[in-house]
Amino acid sequence: MKKYFYVITIQYLGYRFHGWQKQPDVKTLHLMVDRTLNYILEGKYFKSLSSGRTDAMVSAENAAFELFLNEPLEDQNAFLELFNYNLPQDIRALSIKEVDAKFNIINNSKIKEYLYLFTYGDKCHPFCAPIMTTILDDLDIELMKHGAKLFEGEHFLKSYCFKPTDNGIYTRTILTCEIVENTIYTANYFPKQSYILRVKSEGFMRNQIRLMMGTLIDLGKGKLTLDDIRNSLLPESTVKMDYIAPASGLILNKIDFL
């Protein structure tokens, strides 16, 4: 039987979800997507497979999953409209594209870009909580900018993997790592100044960006030095970084398939 393959891009606010992957007795993004697909496809066979998992409370501007069907979609635009009409309001489908059987959403080479939105000082309006982390201590932002640049290039990143094993591949290349002023997300209840950590790479390990962000926060507080970060990136480093920044500030911004 011939199969049909589609890549659907979506965006979502992850604050009320326990991540992407289906889990018993909790609300996940994959669960809500599949429930909606089952409803609009009226019980016909389908399978959905994500390009990667996001953790609990992590949001996405541009995520993607592959949809496998036994019958073709006669009108992709109408399908996308119906999909959006039935999805919960914190999930939105952006586009749909038919691909061939050779395409593999997990194994195809891709570049992912994540953003981490944060501010510091005064306590923020509670409405900021779903997408922004507030650090109440003072931070040396200029020092943190220098620290972020140390991650760029090829480094040994075992110190930035949650519960690493002895068999993992920890030499990774980070294409971009920078802290910039936030000009993307605005609201009248946002603080006057906020910042974004932008990180781009072909792949990330479990909690890698949140561990990197936690390290930069400790650097900004004066708990760590630039040399501490440099030493943590040396080959076969045994340095353990254990401050995992809160999940709600993390946003999957873009996926580019190569």
Side-chain angles (χ1 to χ4, degrees):
M1 180 181 293
K2 185 175 179 180
K3 291 187 180 294
Y4 299 86
F5 312 88
Y6 301 89
V7 171
I8 298 176
T9 59
I10 61 172
Q11 56 188 186
Y12 51 81
L13 180 66
Y15 198 62
R16 74 182 181 104
F17 295 104
H18 289 260
W20 174 265
Q21 187 178 12
K22 290 179 184 177
Q23 302 172 56
D25 304 320
V26 295
K27 187 174 291 185
T28 69
L29 288 147
H30 197 185
L31 174 68
M32 300 307 294
V33 165
D34 272 8
R35 279 183 179 175
T36 306
L37 288 170
N38 187 63
Y39 177 73
I40 66 174
L41 292 170
E42 299 178 331
K44 295 177 183 177
Y45 167 83
F46 75 91
K47 179 182 176 182
S48 61
L49 185 63
S50 173
S51 62
R53 304 170 184 173
T54 47
D55 292 338
M57 302 177 74
V58 174
S59 299
E61 282 278 9
N62 201 317
F65 71 89
E66 190 169 1
L67 177 63
F68 303 81
L69 298 173
N70 286 339
E71 299 178 14
L73 296 173
E74 294 182 3
D75 187 334
Q76 294 178 29
N77 290 330
F79 172 85
L80 198 69
E81 184 177 345
L82 183 62
F83 190 33
N84 268 321
Y85 189 85
N86 288 279
L87 280 168
Q89 64 179 358
D90 42 10
I91 306 175
R92 180 170 71 158
L94 300 173
S95 67
I96 183 169
K97 176 184 177 182
E98 187 169 6
V99 293
D100 59 31
K102 295 179 182 178
F103 181 84
N104 184 304
I105 198 162
I106 294 178
N107 295 331
N108 265 56
S109 296
K110 50 189 171 283
I111 300 292
K112 290 185 177 182
E113 181 182 77
Y114 278 89
L115 307 178
Y116 194 98
L117 182 61
F118 71 100
T119 188
Y120 72 96
D122 296 334
K123 185 126 184 179
C124 288
H125 193 293
F127 290 0
C128 296
I131 62 167
M132 180 184 292
T133 292
T134 303
I135 305 301
L136 296 179
D137 303 287
D138 283 337
L139 295 177
D140 186 335
I141 296 295
E142 290 305 311
L143 183 62
M144 292 171 67
K145 288 180 179 180
H146 289 298
K149 283 295 180 182
L150 295 178
F151 288 105
E152 288 187 346
E154 184 179 286
H155 298 290
F156 185 71
L157 296 173
K158 189 174 182 179
S159 300
Y160 300 92
C161 178
F162 180 69
K163 292 185 178 180
T165 67
D166 292 332
N167 302 320
I169 299 174
Y170 300 111
T171 300
R172 305 286 185 107
T173 299
I174 294 179
L175 302 172
T176 301
C177 187
E178 61 181 358
I179 289 176
V180 297
E181 288 195 26
N182 168 39
T183 58
I184 300 174
Y185 300 99
T186 60
N188 60 7
Y189 51 82
F190 269 25
K192 290 182 179 179
Q193 201 162 34
S194 56
Y195 301 89
I196 286 175
L197 172 69
R198 177 184 288 112
V199 187
K200 186 184 295 187
S201 178
E202 290 187 13
F204 296 96
M205 299 174 291
R206 187 179 180 190
N207 288 342
Q208 178 182 330
I209 298 173
R210 291 168 60 195
L211 279 163
M212 291 166 58
M213 186 70 236
T215 297
L216 292 172
I217 291 170
D218 278 346
L219 175 69
K221 289 180 178 180
K223 293 182 177 181
L224 295 173
T225 67
L226 291 174
D227 280 341
D228 289 326
I229 295 179
R230 291 188 185 99
N231 291 334
S232 74
L233 301 173
L234 293 174
E236 307 306 321
S237 168
T238 58
V239 174
K240 181 176 175 58
M241 297 299 187
D242 54 9
Y243 177 22
I244 302 175
S248 56
L250 186 59
I251 301 166
L252 173 58
N253 189 49
K254 187 190 301 184
I255 301 176
D256 293 323
F257 292 99
L258 305 179

